[in-house]
């Protein structure tokens, strides 16, 4: 791995991590230069940007599998977190958790997070894809926005941290 780079971004602070995967590493062809830039914006948004360049045709599927408990470490699970995902479809997986190539509608499934819903609200439903993934371990096919810069893909809120309307419990 190259030396990490910290640098100011136009709207926050960024950290860039990079790696050169040599031709044949893990059985894949080509020298693959990969980088990821994590930016914490001035408005407290986390932006993750990936890039990859190879000198041969190869397969690349960069992702991030971290998750955050917005209530803080030691405060239990995230099943009560409220989630919205701007996706009409998801990609079903096989028994090895490899996407099958199908784009399946989220409507009337436990994968429908187009309206705010607790992550755990439907996680125990008797549904094949939830069983295969041991919960949600799937890709969502995001809706495209007309905004060339960026648009909302997903939002997660911890209900105990939501601002409360004035007048309640006063």
């Amino acid at each position: 791995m190259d030396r990490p780079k910290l640098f100011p971004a136009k709207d926050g602070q960024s950290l860039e991590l990079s790696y050169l995967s040599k031709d044949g590493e893990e059985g894949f062809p080509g020298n693959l230069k990969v980088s990821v830039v994590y930016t914490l914006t001035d408005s407290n948004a986390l932006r993750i940007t990936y890039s990859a360049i190879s000198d041969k045709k190869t397969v690349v599927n960069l992702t991030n599998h971290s998750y955050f408990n917005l209530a803080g470490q030691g405060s239990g699970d995230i099943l009560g977190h409220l989630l919205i995902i701007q996706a009409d479809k998801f990609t079903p997986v096989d028994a090895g958790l490899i996407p099958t190539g199908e784009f399946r509608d989220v409507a009337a499934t436990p994968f429908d997070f187009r309206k705010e819903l607790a992550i755990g609200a439907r996680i125990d439903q008797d549904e094949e894809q939830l069983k295969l993934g041991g919960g949600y371990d799937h890709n969502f096919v995001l809706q495209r926005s007309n905004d060339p810069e960026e648009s909302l893909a997903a939002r997660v809120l911890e209900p105990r941290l939501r601002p409360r309307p004035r007048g309640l419990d006063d």
Side-chain angles (χ1 to χ4, degrees):
M1 182 159 64
D2 291 345
R3 184 176 200 92
K5 298 175 192 169
L6 288 169
F7 58 94
K10 69 177 182 179
D11 61 344
Q13 290 291 312
S14 294
L15 168 69
E16 180 179 23
L17 304 173
S18 58
Y19 181 74
L20 174 63
S21 175
K22 300 275 188 181
D23 188 13
E25 184 178 330
E26 300 289 329
F28 293 99
N31 292 300
L32 182 67
K33 175 73 174 177
V34 178
S35 70
V36 59
V37 176
Y38 296 92
T39 302
L40 182 60
T41 70
D42 294 333
S43 59
N44 287 325
L46 176 63
R47 185 171 52 241
I48 305 173
T49 307
Y50 300 98
S51 66
I53 299 172
S54 180
D55 57 4
K56 292 183 182 176
K57 286 187 177 182
T58 193
V59 176
V60 177
N61 184 13
L62 304 174
T63 188
N64 183 310
H65 286 272
S66 64
Y67 78 91
F68 303 92
N69 187 331
L70 300 179
Q73 183 177 351
S75 61
D77 61 41
I78 63 163
L79 298 178
H81 285 34
L82 302 175
L83 176 62
I84 293 176
I85 302 176
Q86 300 296 324
D88 293 324
K89 298 182 184 301
F90 75 101
T91 57
V93 296
D94 63 19
L97 297 181
I98 304 299
T100 64
E102 175 189 355
F103 288 3
R104 188 176 294 172
D105 286 332
V106 298
T109 75
F111 294 85
D112 191 352
F113 287 98
R114 293 174 294 176
K115 293 186 177 164
E116 185 177 273
L117 185 70
I119 292 171
R122 298 183 287 216
I123 201 165
D124 291 325
Q125 285 188 6
D126 185 22
E127 204 277 342
E128 177 191 24
Q129 286 296 308
L130 287 175
K131 290 178 184 175
L132 287 172
Y136 298 107
D137 194 3
H138 298 74
N139 301 301
F140 286 83
V141 182
L142 299 175
Q143 299 169 4
R144 294 234 181 232
S145 167
N146 293 330
D147 184 341
E149 292 295 316
E150 59 186 47
S151 62
L152 177 70
R155 182 179 67 215
V156 182
L157 300 171
E158 205 318 313
R160 293 175 291 179
L161 301 178
R162 271 189 158 171
R164 297 172 58 93
R166 288 181 169 250
L168 296 178
D169 299 323
D170 282 353

